[in-house]
Structures are given as C-alpha cells and as structure tokens.
Amino acid sequence: MKGLAKIELQINEKRITGKRSPMLYGHFIEHFHRQIYEGLYDPSHPMADEDGLRRDILEAMRNIKVPVLRWPGGCFVSSYHWKDGVGKHRKPLFDKAWRVEEPNLFGTDEYIRLCRKIGCEPYICTNAGTGTAEEMSDWVEYCNLKSEGQYAKWRIENGSPEPYKVKYWSIGNENYGRWEIGAKSAEEWGRLVRESAKMISHVDPEAQLSAAALPDIDWNINLLKNCGDYLDWLSIHEYWDMMPEENSPADYDECMAFTDHIDHSVEEVRGILKAMKLEGRIKIAFDEWNLRSWHHPNVHTIRQGIRKEDYITPRDKNDENSMYTMADAVFTACFLNAMNRNCDVVGMANFAPILNTRGCIYSHKEGIVLRSTYHVFDLYVNHMGDTVVDLWAPSVPDLRVTGKDGREKTVGALDMLATTWSEKPGVALAVVNKDREKSFSICLPSDYTGSKVTIYRLNGKEADSYNDVGRTEITVRREEAGRYDGKAEIAVAPHSVNVIQVMP
Ligand code: AHR
C-alpha cells in the first residue's frame, strides 16, 4: 500500500513451537467489590437464573469459551474458611482481607454450578494464610471423594451426590506479600506447601497442585526444594500499571512501554525450573494477570482506611469504563501472543478478573458492557489456532515510547503470532499494531497464493476509544478479503488487534 512500511512475513508451519493449552485464555473471579455479589450473583435481578446467576453475564462468558475459572481469591482467600460457605446455615462473616461483610451465600456448590453452566474447569485457590493443611484437604474431600468421610457426606447432604472432580488446586495466594493475611517467609512457605500438598494428595492423588511463586530465586528455590516433588504448577501473578493506592491509569504510550519484555516473569521462572531440572514436569500458571492493577486504597497498607470513603467507595473507580481503551486491548493481545510463544512452559493464564473491577465484562443493572479486552479473548479463542508455528519478519519497525516511570523504551511496533489448527489446514495470524499513528502493510508469503483470506479487525476510531453503557466505540469487524493473488497487501491500522485467517 502506498506510503506504508511493508512487513514481509515468513511463516514456517513445520517449525512448531508447541500446542498451546486452551487454558492460556483462562479467567479469575474473586469475592471483591462487584465481581460476585451485585455482579454475577444477584438473585433479585430480573436476569437472574434459578441459582441467582445473571444470564446475560453467563452468556458473555460462554461466548469466550472460558476454559478455567480461578476462585475465590486472591487476597480474599487468605482468611476465608470454605466450610462457612456450604450447607443450609450460611453465616455472614467479616472478610478481613477486603474489610466488608461476606454473606457466604455464594460458596463452593454455587461456584461448581457456575463452572458447569459456562463449561469451564474449576480451579480453587485455598487459604494458606490463616488456613491449615487439614482445612485445604478437607475441601478436597468435600469436592472429590465419592462418599467417604464427613465432608463428602456433607456434599451429598447439600444436594450433590456425585463428586465435583475439581482437578486444579492452588495452595495459597501471594503469601510472599506483606499485604497478604498470613504472609509467610520462604522457609515457612516451603514447609506449609509440602504438608498441604501431602495431605491433599492423600485425599486425591489426581489433584493437580500449584503454589504461589515469584520470579524470585530464594522464594522459588526454597519452595521447589521442599515441594518440587508434589507440585504440577507454579503460580505467578503480574500487573504492570500498578495503581492500588492512586487511581492514575497509564496513558496509551505508557501502556505500550509496558509491553517491553512482557514475558520477563516467565523467562525468570523458566530459568529456575531449568536450573532445578524441573522444566517439563512443572508448568507455569500465570493465574493472575492484567495490564492494570485493581484500585483499593488504604487496605494493602499498614495504616488502614478509617472512613468508608477512604477505602470502600474508591473501589467504584475500577468501574470507570473510559479507562479500558485500545491500550488495554493491544497490551492484552501482546500478552497472549507471548504466552502462546511460551506455551511449552506456560499451561494456564487467568485474566484478573473476568467481571467488573478491571474485567473484560462490565455489568450494570440493565445489562453488560463488553470492554475492549473482551474482544481480544473473543478473537483468540474463536479465530486463532491451537498450534504455535514459526513466524519471522525481517523488518519490524521500532516504536519509541516513554514509560510511566519517565524512561524511554524501544519496543517493536508490531507483535505477531502465527498459529495453525491440529484438526484442519490453514493458518491464523495475530497482528498487533502498537503504533498510535502509523498503519503498516502486511505481505503474506507467496506460497499462500490462492488461499481465502478473512480478516478480523478489532479497533476504535482513536487509541483512547472505549465502550460504555450506551456507547460502543470498539468493535470487531469481519472482512472477507477474497483469494490471495500473491501480491495484495493487508493494511493494519494504528492501535489495532487483527486476526488474519489464511485458509485453503
Ligand atoms: O488487587 C487484587 C489483588 O491482586 C488480588 O486479590 C491478589 O491476588 C493480588 O494482589
């Protein structure tokens, strides 16, 4: 195309990076603000189903084929006792993590019903803050034993005769952090995880276990020395635009700077696994990630908020939809590309969270808003392949941007991924254009001449476009581009996420 920088792609479908797990497109939901109560679980709502779950939200979750949903936290879980949330007599308790009342009306049974309704794997994060190895393994008894013991019998009494077969269990959440209730030293952590893993595996040897890890040598070496034999996963978390205290979102260019070495945590943990000869046996569960951290001032601090307007009301700021622009979509696509490229060691990733707060779906009394990030999951889940193959471009232009820290960064202007399907011919390319102003011209390899080209273009008019109630600026446009003639070029617009399917 006239005047556009040409990007000649070289694709080798035979050079396979790996088959990515569908769980790379996983999600997370926590008992925080309006994610569960007044969000997904709202029995009085006109769109609530027989279990009090919003039908419109469930439908949106099904449309992005949620493969796995991590629950109930997050910081919430580190003082949560699961037994309070099952059975006929639910006691409202004070949630010491987020300093609100937990009504305990949505518990394990409701969560499992939710997972069945959206067709996803449950992934339960246990309380390694104030909890014990015994309490964790009792939870596994409740969910996975047929009828042996009091907890399986309790599940049956509560109306579920068959075991839930929960495969994925995480021991703890961020217990390395001073902000976490029941934070642990590396030594304490290794010991607790080992004893918990031992008891859980005595209840259900098929349970797959993860434990909170860090891209930190000491923490992980101690954890892996103590528990490497018990673990199937290492759980890591990352938020790039950190604003727990001040709700000051990074602007477009600052968000693009965050894409620099976006997979650094994976590389660091991969190195530790390799050094301990555990690579290939233990996988990474990147089970909390999002461009933007959640905003909840005066709680992850020593001095707690006194007035509700100091620490509760500000949580509503997470729901300002104008914050979730094409920057969030572009970053999310770059992250998913990086996880695909690392699919040999990353087996799961969970967007934090799926609903409200920084989620890809926003719910309000009359309906839902699909934020920009939702459409990225829609594109990747529904239009990209399951096998990552080699893609190279000799000349990807640089993009100079200034980060939130004021430092200049050079990142690639384009982030691209090539995938194929294990069950059908063809190739699907994700082409992410980070440049706020420039378009680029994509040239397919000539050996795709004659192939049918379909392009899905996710974009808004501006980099700062966003969706809100009664406002839809960001959409996915499907474009049938006909048969490739060996020379036609595909323009990718500024600040856009594009999936190009090239089918026989
Ligand atoms: O900001 C939300 C918190 O982020 C989650 O509860 C926790 O896991 C992480 O620190």
Side-chain angles (χ1 to χ4, degrees):
M1 266 146 190
K2 199 162 166 35
L4 299 187
K6 272 191 184 181
I7 311 294
E8 311 265 350
L9 299 190
Q10 299 183 22
I11 298 166
N12 183 343
E13 295 182 28
K14 292 191 174 32
R15 282 196 65 193
I16 293 175
T17 305
K19 189 161 177 208
R20 62 103 182 101
S21 163
M23 295 203 296
L24 286 194
Y25 305 134
H27 291 269
F28 167 53
I29 194 163
E30 177 164 358
H31 288 227
F32 173 82
H33 203 223
R34 295 191 315 104
Q35 293 179 33
I36 297 286
Y37 303 109
E38 294 176 56
L40 178 60
Y41 179 76
D42 194 349
S44 64
H45 194 277
M47 285 189 264
D49 68 9
E50 66 284 1
D51 291 312
L53 300 173
R54 284 265 302 255
R55 287 188 174 83
D56 49 345
I57 300 171
L58 293 175
E59 188 56 29
M61 290 179 173
R62 279 191 282 266
N63 288 342
I64 53 173
K65 298 187 178 71
V66 176
V68 58
L69 183 69
R70 178 173 178 256
W71 170 83
C75 295
F76 167 78
V77 78
S78 291
S79 54
Y80 172 67
H81 297 290
W82 68 269
K83 295 168 188 172
D84 297 327
V86 294
K88 294 172 181 54
H89 311 293
R90 312 283 181 93
K91 295 189 298 274
L93 291 172
F94 186 68
D95 161 13
K96 293 186 174 66
W98 297 120
R99 303 183 57 205
V100 293
E101 180 170 279
E102 165 56 49
N104 275 313
L105 298 175
F106 187 95
T108 304
D109 301 316
E110 290 75 23
Y111 165 67
I112 295 295
R113 281 200 288 276
L114 160 64
C115 292
R116 300 296 189 252
K117 285 183 178 183
I118 59 178
C120 75
E121 284 290 342
Y123 175 24
I124 293 180
C125 182
T126 62
N127 174 0
T130 62
T132 63
E134 187 162 40
E135 182 183 31
M136 295 180 208
S137 52
D138 291 351
W139 205 351
V140 182
E141 284 189 42
Y142 183 85
C143 291
N144 291 358
L145 289 185
K146 178 90 179 120
S147 60
E148 307 89 320
Q150 61 173 316
Y151 299 113
K153 287 178 173 62
W154 194 15
R155 182 197 71 244
I156 295 165
E157 186 192 313
N158 290 335
S160 300
E162 292 309 314
Y164 291 147
K165 298 195 174 88
V166 177
K167 197 188 305 179
Y168 303 105
W169 294 85
S170 175
I171 299 172
N173 173 77
E174 299 189 359
N175 299 87
Y176 45 76
R178 49 156 187 75
W179 58 84
E180 196 79 11
I181 287 178
K184 302 280 183 305
S185 68
E187 295 68 31
E188 290 166 331
W189 185 238
R191 189 170 148 60
L192 173 62
V193 173
R194 189 185 61 235
E195 293 313 305
S196 306
K198 190 193 300 177
M199 284 190 84
I200 289 172
S201 56
H202 280 216
V203 172
D204 179 359
E206 293 183 294
Q208 290 199 25
L209 296 178
S210 81
L214 265 174
D216 166 274
I217 297 264
D218 295 334
W219 181 271
N220 286 354
I221 286 181
N222 194 66
L223 174 63
L224 293 169
K225 269 195 309 192
N226 276 284
C227 326
D229 296 343
Y230 285 100
L231 296 179
D232 305 283
W233 303 84
L234 279 185
S235 155
I236 60 174
H237 297 173
E238 190 157 359
Y239 298 91
W240 282 258
D241 184 15
M242 286 304 294
M243 42 181 165
E245 298 304 318
E246 287 303 316
N247 191 46
S248 52
D251 66 20
Y252 185 87
D253 284 1
E254 291 166 342
C255 291
M256 293 309 106
F258 284 129
T259 66
D260 182 36
H261 294 104
I262 203 167
D263 58 356
H264 74 94
S265 298
V266 170
E267 285 314 309
E268 288 153 26
V269 174
R270 180 199 288 274
I272 295 169
L273 288 172
K274 197 172 270 187
M276 301 193 75
K277 300 191 179 14
L278 290 167
E279 196 183 20
R281 203 178 69 62
I282 292 182
K283 287 205 174 245
I284 293 171
F286 214 128
D287 57 24
E288 268 190 47
W289 70 272
N290 199 321
L291 163 62
R292 305 188 197 274
S293 82
W294 304 3
H295 179 61
H296 36 61
N298 301 309
V299 176
H300 277 190
T301 48
I302 304 294
R303 292 229 172 283
Q304 294 293 300
I306 306 292
R307 303 169 307 158
K308 289 214 179 336
E309 50 268 34
D310 298 333
Y311 70 99
I312 299 280
T313 317
R315 296 175 189 180
D316 291 340
K317 291 181 184 172
N318 290 289
D319 287 343
E320 285 166 13
N321 288 313
S322 58
M323 227 179 307
Y324 309 105
T325 68
M326 280 310 298
D328 300 74
V330 166
F331 179 93
T332 296
C334 290
F335 179 87
L336 294 180
N337 284 355
M339 294 309 110
N340 273 275
R341 285 191 283 266
N342 285 282
C343 64
D344 62 315
V345 72
V346 181
M348 184 192 309
N350 305 72
F351 191 62
I354 186 169
L355 175 70
N356 296 328
T357 313
R358 303 284 184 210
C360 60
I361 305 167
Y362 168 75
S363 71
H364 56 98
K365 276 301 167 210
E366 289 71 44
I368 59 173
V369 173
L370 302 180
R371 289 170 170 165
S372 65
T373 47
Y374 179 90
H375 297 294
V376 178
F377 284 99
D378 180 16
L379 285 181
Y380 277 66
V381 161
N382 291 311
H383 304 301
M384 289 293 281
D386 60 1
T387 306
V388 181
V389 298
D390 188 55
L391 177 145
W392 183 65
S395 62
V396 176
D398 283 343
L399 181 64
R400 292 284 289 168
V401 285
T402 304
K404 209 172 181 180
D405 57 5
R407 288 162 58 190
E408 280 234 328
K409 292 255 166 98
T410 300
V411 295
L414 293 174
D415 188 310
M416 297 182 285
L417 178 78
T419 62
T420 57
W421 290 268
S422 35
E423 79 287 346
K424 64 181 180 182
V427 66
L429 311 175
V431 179
V432 187
N433 182 0
K434 303 181 207 174
D435 197 302
R436 178 196 270 276
E437 278 125 23
K438 284 199 200 104
S439 296
F440 296 96
S441 182
I442 301 296
C443 307
L444 295 173
S446 55
D447 39 0
Y448 288 117
T449 302
S451 296
K452 182 171 174 293
V453 178
T454 304
I455 308 164
Y456 297 86
R457 297 180 187 278
L458 166 55
N459 212 344
K461 279 202 184 63
E462 311 294 333
D464 295 338
S465 294
Y466 63 93
N467 290 344
D468 203 343
V469 180
R471 176 192 181 124
T472 304
E473 292 185 339
I474 295 178
T475 58
V476 175
R477 269 189 316 106
R478 176 182 168 136
E479 180 188 326
E480 293 301 350
R483 296 268 166 205
Y484 180 46
D485 62 2
K487 53 183 189 299
E489 297 169 16
I490 299 168
V492 289
H495 50 74
S496 67
V497 177
N498 309 273
V499 167
I500 303 169
Q501 287 190 342
V502 185
M503 311 300 278

